[in-house]
Amino acid sequence: MGTYDRLSLNTATTKALTLPEALDTAARAGLSHVGLWRDRVAEVGLEEAARLVRQSGLQVTSLCRGGFLTAADPAGQRAALDDNRTAIVEAATLGTSELIMVVGGLPEGDKDLVSARQRVADRIGELAGFAAEHGVRLVLEPLHPMYAADRAVISTLGQALDLAAPHPVEAVGVVVDTFHVWWDPQLAEQIARAGREGRIASYQVCDFNLPIAADPLLSRGYMGDGVVDFETIGRWVTEAGYTGPVEVEIFNADIWAAPADEVVATVKDRWASLVLPSLQRAGALA
Amino acid sequence: MGTYDRLSLNTATTKALTLPEALDTAARAGLSHVGLWRDRVAEVGLEEAARLVRQSGLQVTSLCRGGFLTAADPAGQRAALDDNRTAIVEAATLGTSELIMVVGGLPEGDKDLVSARQRVADRIGELAGFAAEHGVRLVLEPLHPMYAADRAVISTLGQALDLAAPHPVEAVGVVVDTFHVWWDPQLAEQIARAGREGRIASYQVCDFNLPIAADPLLSRGYMGDGVVDFETIGRWVTEAGYTGPVEVEIFNADIWAAPADEVVATVKDRWASLVLPSLQRAGALA
């Protein structure tokens, strides 16, 4: 297996590029996988995006993102369901089975986290069947607890697995994103559980930089620049049986401002030195 | 019971004040409890601090802080044990049984969170007997996961309870600080567990402000200014059987710059409107 066979470049890492540019950058770097964001797909239109992807020969490992399911009002809930059904169709059209779900924060002025989480469970129940019919899995993403109020009320892998549990594994999965879950004292046991329960749909890597950036959303870094223990987490994910692609998804203002080819070269370096060994070492034990 | 009988003013909220000034401010505001920080105690000396506290008639609800137990080297570990023994003696001398423990982050350049957490468990084991002999409880404080690498490797209430479990309840307890734990999907069950297991040593309140402050340590706010659901968390803490003092501990640059009497007046207002009702409502159900 080649060094970069499992490396997938998420287009959020090269945010300045259009979809054709991002696909070209990944292909020229010798990669075989990309993760796509819906905004770049929308710019060229879905059918054209699907054509560009086919032409590139790249495999789409996930579409980001569905979600935002916490509305408390019926109109907001209907709008969310409509948008997610659209996203499910987009994922299928782009040739990926994985739709990453960032489930949304508290509605404006609302502090009732317990009820917001219940609404997420309810909306997932309403979407799971439609997703499965289209061969798409709703991939629940736990976000770092610093985003629990304003971005995603799913805060731990264990919680994501609890939400997934009532649904078939083909319909609802979870993503392990190192930036969001590295701190979790239950991480080892919940990754093992995710493997046992057949729920690991994606492994995403980037670092958690300190000090936290002025815009906390942009506090991600190249693997190795922050505090994440990739060796340990990669081993846990591999021991849990995950053998799929690994997306590198970095939101960082400096990285976004740098030339894309340099960014991809650094991503490949860090992948080869910090991520791939953790996946192989565990594999060797098996 | 009077409106402010359970309100304890933590001196970190009025950070600019010396110990005598802080005691005077609390007493003039009609409060009967204060939480103290060691730096303000050290400024006047321990014996004088104890005399000032006795003179004030105020009850000390906790001393902040021991901890910083994650050193990997023997010299660092010895220094940490020495400092914590000193803090235990200080707490006893000041008339409080509760020593708040902020357990520390990863050593410089170290990313092995699993081992750092094990060292915390080991050090607590070495300190618990000494604490109990002095009538002092080591109060483990889970900190928000955004501080897991650089401030405290205890990130959830459940983890704190697991670390406390091997030790007598008189020796090791936990604190529920709304700023740190509001986001936790397991919060209801872990607060209930903390009550059942007799571990709730302190309830601390302040809000989690958004956007997160440039210095994330200072992103605390007056109750009501952020995203914390005090009504729900206060009810859970009360249903868990906690009837002790409630500390208001706010790190916030604007609040530190404001006149202390105004700060205390606002704390009392927010206490009466947002915190006390949550404690009474639950009590009324019992």
Side-chain angles (χ1 to χ4, degrees):
Chain A
M1 203 171 185
T3 301
Y4 305 108
D5 287 359
R6 292 180 65 189
L7 169 57
S8 177
L9 183 67
N10 187 291
T11 58
T13 306
T14 54
K15 187 183 169 75
L17 303 186
T18 63
L19 180 65
E21 290 169 345
L23 295 172
D24 180 59
T25 299
R28 277 189 294 105
L31 305 184
S32 47
H33 299 90
V34 287
L36 300 186
W37 276 60
R38 291 177 72 198
D39 54 350
R40 288 293 181 234
V41 169
E43 279 175 0
V44 299
L46 178 59
E47 296 306 326
E48 174 65 3
R51 193 191 65 77
L52 289 167
V53 166
R54 282 193 302 273
Q55 189 179 57
S56 73
L58 294 161
Q59 176 67 37
V60 179
T61 51
S62 75
L63 179 65
C64 201
R65 60 195 184 189
F68 298 96
L69 302 172
T70 54
D73 61 305
Q77 294 175 358
R78 274 194 305 273
L81 291 174
D82 286 348
D83 185 58
N84 278 282
R85 288 191 199 99
T86 302
I88 288 164
V89 170
E90 288 174 16
T93 306
L94 292 163
T96 178
S97 53
E98 314 301 339
L99 176 64
I100 306 292
M101 302 288 283
V102 174
V103 299
L106 293 166
E108 184 70 28
D110 186 337
K111 301 186 184 186
D112 183 354
L113 204 47
V114 172
S115 298
R117 286 167 166 161
Q118 182 56 51
R119 290 194 297 275
V120 169
D122 294 343
R123 297 294 88 72
I124 292 168
E126 291 164 344
L127 288 166
F130 185 88
E133 286 165 22
H134 288 76
V136 170
R137 177 155 57 176
L138 305 174
V139 181
L140 305 182
E141 178 154 22
L143 259 59
H144 192 284
M146 66 184 169
Y147 308 127
D150 62 353
R151 194 145 301 256
V153 298
I154 300 183
S155 304
T156 64
L157 187 57
Q159 182 194 5
L161 290 167
D162 290 345
L163 284 163
H167 307 288
V169 294
E170 298 78 20
V172 184
V174 300
V175 48
V176 177
D177 182 322
T178 55
F179 178 84
H180 293 303
V181 302
W182 63 272
W183 58 270
D184 187 351
Q186 297 186 328
L187 191 58
E189 75 186 74
Q190 295 300 330
I191 287 176
R193 173 189 168 197
R196 275 197 314 277
E197 298 180 356
R199 299 284 180 184
I200 306 180
S202 179
Y203 179 40
Q204 296 186 335
V205 292
C206 77
D207 219 325
F208 188 97
N209 283 1
L210 285 181
I212 294 170
D215 178 350
L217 282 177
L218 308 186
S219 206
R220 298 177 176 228
Y222 289 123
M223 297 78 80
D225 285 358
V227 299
V228 170
D229 183 351
F230 289 99
E231 181 180 334
T232 299
I233 298 176
R235 179 164 48 78
W236 289 339
V237 168
T238 304
E239 287 172 354
Y242 185 71
T243 57
V246 180
E247 285 190 24
V248 177
E249 186 192 41
I250 313 177
F251 306 168
N252 177 303
D254 293 334
I255 294 174
W256 287 343
D261 288 336
E262 286 179 23
V263 169
V264 175
T266 304
V267 164
K268 289 173 68 177
D269 279 355
R270 303 298 178 89
W271 165 268
S273 61
L274 287 171
V275 180
L276 186 60
S278 73
L279 307 175
Q280 292 176 323
R281 194 167 302 140
L285 293 173
Chain B
M1 203 171 185
T3 301
Y4 306 107
D5 286 0
R6 291 179 66 188
L7 169 58
S8 177
L9 183 67
N10 187 290
T11 58
T13 306
T14 54
K15 189 183 168 77
L17 303 186
T18 63
L19 181 65
E21 290 168 345
L23 296 172
D24 180 57
T25 299
R28 277 189 294 107
L31 305 184
S32 47
H33 300 90
V34 287
L36 300 185
W37 277 61
R38 292 177 71 198
D39 55 350
R40 288 291 181 236
V41 169
E43 279 175 1
V44 299
L46 179 59
E47 295 306 326
E48 174 66 3
R51 193 192 65 76
L52 288 167
V53 166
R54 283 192 301 272
Q55 190 180 53
S56 73
L58 295 160
Q59 177 66 38
V60 179
T61 50
S62 75
L63 180 65
C64 201
R65 58 197 184 186
F68 298 96
L69 301 174
T70 54
D73 61 304
Q77 293 175 357
R78 273 194 305 273
L81 292 174
D82 286 348
D83 184 58
N84 278 282
R85 288 191 200 98
T86 301
I88 289 164
V89 171
E90 289 174 14
T93 306
L94 292 164
T96 178
S97 53
E98 315 301 339
L99 177 64
I100 305 291
M101 302 288 283
V102 175
V103 299
L106 294 166
E108 184 69 31
D110 186 338
K111 302 187 184 186
D112 183 353
L113 204 47
V114 173
S115 298
R117 286 167 166 163
Q118 182 56 51
R119 291 195 297 276
V120 168
D122 295 343
R123 297 295 89 71
I124 291 168
E126 291 164 345
L127 288 166
F130 186 86
E133 285 165 22
H134 289 76
V136 170
R137 177 155 56 174
L138 304 174
V139 181
L140 305 183
E141 179 154 21
L143 258 59
H144 192 284
M146 67 185 169
Y147 308 127
D150 62 353
R151 192 145 303 255
V153 298
I154 300 183
S155 305
T156 64
L157 186 57
Q159 182 194 6
L161 289 167
D162 289 346
L163 284 162
H167 307 289
V169 294
E170 298 78 20
V172 184
V174 299
V175 48
V176 177
D177 182 322
T178 54
F179 178 83
H180 293 303
V181 302
W182 62 273
W183 58 271
D184 187 349
Q186 297 185 330
L187 190 58
E189 74 187 73
Q190 295 300 330
I191 288 176
R193 172 188 168 199
R196 276 196 313 277
E197 298 180 356
R199 299 285 179 183
I200 306 179
S202 179
Y203 179 41
Q204 295 185 336
V205 292
C206 77
D207 219 323
F208 188 96
N209 282 1
L210 286 181
I212 294 170
D215 177 350
L217 282 177
L218 307 187
S219 206
R220 298 177 177 229
Y222 289 122
M223 296 78 80
D225 285 358
V227 298
V228 170
D229 182 351
F230 289 98
E231 181 180 335
T232 299
I233 299 175
R235 178 164 49 81
W236 290 339
V237 168
T238 304
E239 287 171 354
Y242 185 71
T243 56
V246 180
E247 285 191 23
V248 177
E249 186 192 41
I250 313 177
F251 307 167
N252 178 302
D254 293 333
I255 294 174
W256 287 343
D261 288 335
E262 285 178 23
V263 169
V264 175
T266 304
V267 164
K268 289 173 68 177
D269 278 354
R270 302 298 177 89
W271 165 269
S273 61
L274 287 169
V275 180
L276 185 61
S278 73
L279 307 175
Q280 292 174 324
R281 193 166 305 140
L285 294 172

